[in-house]
Amino acid sequence: MEHLTRRCAMLGFGLAAVHAGFSAASASAAPIPAVSLTPASGPAGTRVALAGSGFPKSVAGTVTGGAATVTFQTTKSGAFSAQATIAATAQGQAGLSVAVGRTAVTTSFVVLAGAPAAGTPLLRFGVATPGGAATGAELDAVADLVGESPGIVLSYKDFRQPPPVAELDSVVSRGATPLVTWEPWIAGSGVSQPAYSLARIAAGDFDPYISQWGTALAAWGRPLMLRFAHEMNGDWYPWCEAVNGNQPDDYVRAWRHVHDLVTAGGAANVNWVWAPNGGGSVDPALLYPGNAFVDTVGLDAYNWGTTQAWSSWQMPSSLFGPHLAQLRTIAPGKPIIITETASTEAGGNKPDWNTALVSYLRSQPDVTGFVWFNFTKETDWRIDSSPASASALAAALAARR
């Protein structure tokens, strides 16, 4: 009996040792939590983007130490992205603490001595041009017209195109932020494209392609804005819920699926922009993916003037005001960007409209910027549709600096 007891004890010790070995191996294989800041230095009051990986999966977390506590949700891969503001009174090394469950990491922002505190952010000016993000001559021409280089460059990619890494590099080399509109269709092939229905996207038909984008954007690593499936509340794109066989709730399911796949590839550097149109057949509140899946709220709205039978001249306050109020109800606290806008010359005074545009948007504290659609398409939307139009926008932008 004593001999048997010893054998059992030895066997128990051996099992404990094996278990300890497995535990040690599991612990060594666990990812190490890491957080990066963009930018990592600047004046007190700077708004920074945090990107983290290696945290507990699908868990709520907080960022403390800034001007206010920020909450976020980690993805299924343990990654997250969030934005925080450095306290206006911060000096030296300002610590931001990230806590997810029992896991906590502190990272430091270097407050530059002698730099003025960041105040109300400058309303950013962006542009979209026919040649796209890589056509430097068009962007240079816009800079010459308005007296400043665009700080945001908007481009468009459909679901056949690879991640535009070279174009992203080109935009960043100009000191601008890329805003990529990612469109789930074959561009120019009409509204009825059953192969690109929202249900097929959510079901995983395009998973390898979407994951390719996520991996490539993660490897690129710098901040960018990604506007997926915009103007979804209309009826002119295959991803609009009112057409192409799409059903209620399909849009939200497709958005969340795409978001999770890209994020699972490690692309915590992506700022997700959800951008309805200023007018459509579906209530945008029914199409909002949720705060955990959206970083910035966008809005497309144009002054069509008298170019259409249904349109009339609208000054910026009447064009944007009702839609901004609705967006603030749908996504309270989210920053807003006007992702597409422009005015025609027909039916009113475009120079006055340009002046009022900048003045009105500057008065909206949650509107961070606007992107001018510099095309001749349904009408002449270009900044320089007349010399007076270009001069007025240049003067309005100069007045805000």
Side-chain angles (χ1 to χ4, degrees):
M1 186 70 171
E2 183 180 1
H3 176 68
L4 179 59
T5 302
R6 285 183 189 153
R7 288 190 61 190
C8 290
M10 291 178 66
L11 178 60
F13 179 81
L15 290 174
V18 171
H19 178 73
F22 277 123
S23 298
S26 298
S28 64
I32 300 174
V35 178
S36 63
L37 289 181
T38 305
S41 63
T46 296
R47 190 163 178 80
V48 297
L50 297 93
S53 61
F55 286 87
K57 302 173 183 178
S58 303
V59 176
T62 60
V63 180
T64 57
T69 298
V70 175
T71 59
F72 61 85
Q73 184 88 7
T74 60
T75 66
K76 294 178 181 178
S77 65
F80 78 88
S81 60
Q83 293 187 334
T85 302
I86 304 301
T89 56
Q91 298 180 7
Q93 298 273 346
L96 293 176
S97 297
V98 176
V100 181
R102 296 183 179 180
T103 303
V105 173
T106 299
T107 186
S108 294
F109 177 89
V110 178
V111 180
L112 300 179
T120 303
L122 184 73
L123 179 72
R124 301 182 72 190
F125 164 69
V127 72
T129 61
T135 309
E138 291 180 352
L139 299 175
D140 289 341
V142 169
D144 289 341
L145 283 174
V146 302
E148 70 178 65
S149 184
I152 302 169
V153 176
L154 171 64
S155 60
Y156 300 83
K157 301 297 173 187
D158 71 10
F159 254 36
R160 298 172 299 173
Q161 294 174 282
V165 174
E167 291 186 17
L168 298 178
D169 284 333
S170 178
V171 171
V172 170
S173 71
R174 303 178 66 90
T177 299
L179 171 54
V180 180
T181 299
W182 197 16
E183 304 176 323
W185 71 331
I186 297 176
S189 295
V191 172
S192 180
Q193 297 190 35
Y196 292 88
S197 70
L198 293 170
R200 289 193 173 217
I201 295 170
D205 287 13
F206 299 93
D207 281 8
Y209 170 72
I210 295 167
S211 295
Q212 177 193 8
W213 269 64
T215 301
L217 295 180
W220 186 68
R222 283 166 282 186
L224 77 151
M225 305 179 82
L226 187 62
R227 183 175 67 148
F228 174 69
H230 68 303
E231 298 183 3
M232 74 302 291
N233 56 321
D235 58 8
W236 44 85
Y237 290 124
W239 59 83
C240 294
E241 214 169 67
V243 298
N244 201 34
N246 298 320
Q247 300 297 317
D249 299 327
D250 279 354
Y251 182 84
V252 168
R253 281 191 286 266
W255 175 288
R256 290 179 176 180
H257 183 75
V258 172
H259 174 279
D260 286 348
L261 276 180
V262 171
T263 306
N269 53 313
V270 171
N271 183 296
W272 290 85
V273 181
W274 177 77
N277 186 66
S281 58
V282 179
D283 182 356
L286 302 175
L287 306 171
Y288 185 59
N291 288 343
F293 300 90
V294 174
D295 298 303
T296 299
V297 173
L299 173 65
D300 292 0
Y302 292 81
N303 175 31
W304 291 83
T306 55
T307 62
Q308 309 295 317
W310 48 262
S311 65
S312 60
W313 189 266
Q314 286 186 287
M315 291 300 284
S317 58
S318 60
L319 175 64
F320 296 111
H323 302 303
L324 291 178
Q326 184 182 32
L327 293 179
R328 289 166 182 143
T329 300
I330 294 171
K334 291 288 185 183
I336 299 172
I337 180 171
I338 306 303
T339 38
E340 290 182 27
T341 195
S343 175
T344 181
E345 295 271 3
N349 188 309
K350 184 171 178 176
D352 285 351
W353 193 92
N354 295 353
T355 301
L357 170 71
V358 178
S359 175
Y360 174 74
L361 295 181
R362 285 182 67 194
S363 71
Q364 308 302 305
D366 52 356
V367 176
T368 62
F370 71 97
V371 178
W372 190 283
F373 188 76
N374 203 48
F375 286 67
T376 299
K377 198 179 174 187
E378 302 88 352
T379 185
D380 191 347
W381 300 116
R382 295 174 303 162
I383 295 167
D384 59 341
S385 54
S386 66
S389 170
S391 296
L393 186 59
L397 291 174
R400 90 199 194 292
R401 292 197 288 268

